[in-house]
Amino acid sequence: MKPQPFDDENLDALFAGARTLTSLDEAAAERALRSWRQTRARRNGWRWASGLLATAAMLGGVLYLQHGQTLPTHAAYEVYNQASGVGW
């Protein structure tokens, strides 16, 4: 099979054929679009979960800091003694 010479008519026919959509092109586009939608749905689910975890961490930190300010120093020493069983 000999390659065809490139003249204006051959190039026009080649470009016209490349612009024409076929059923294979449409099927490939549909598969790509379906995959993109599934990936996006998975990412949105993780955004929701990460936002919930960040909120829980922030609230936990605020509650911990508020509780830590009301705890006297001798209470921390008593907790240490109970955990270790010996004095400092």
Side-chain angles (χ1 to χ4, degrees), residues 36-49:
W36 179 77
R37 285 178 182 156
Q38 289 172 351
T39 302
R40 186 176 169 127
R42 281 193 300 264
R43 286 183 185 162
N44 285 341
W46 283 109
R47 281 188 202 149
W48 179 81

Side-chain angles (χ1 to χ4, degrees), residues 5 7 13 16-17 20-21 27 33 37 39 41-42 48 50 53 63 68 77-78 81 86:
D7 57 3
T20 306
L21 289 179
L33 187 58
R37 285 178 182 156
T39 302
R42 281 193 300 264
W48 179 81
S50 63
L53 288 174
L63 292 174
Y77 179 69
E78 289 175 17
N81 279 337
V86 294

Side-chain angles (χ1 to χ4, degrees), residues 27-80:
E30 190 63 38
R31 284 192 308 271
L33 187 58
R34 187 180 323 118
S35 173
W36 179 77
R37 285 178 182 156
Q38 289 172 351
T39 302
R40 186 176 169 127
R42 281 193 300 264
R43 286 183 185 162
N44 285 341
W46 283 109
R47 281 188 202 149
W48 179 81
S50 63
L52 181 64
L53 288 174
T55 303
M58 185 178 66
L59 289 175
V62 167
L63 292 174
Y64 176 77
L65 289 175
Q66 284 181 345
H67 183 67
Q69 291 174 351
T70 60
L71 188 64
T73 306
H74 64 73
Y77 179 69
E78 289 175 17
V79 169
Y80 174 77

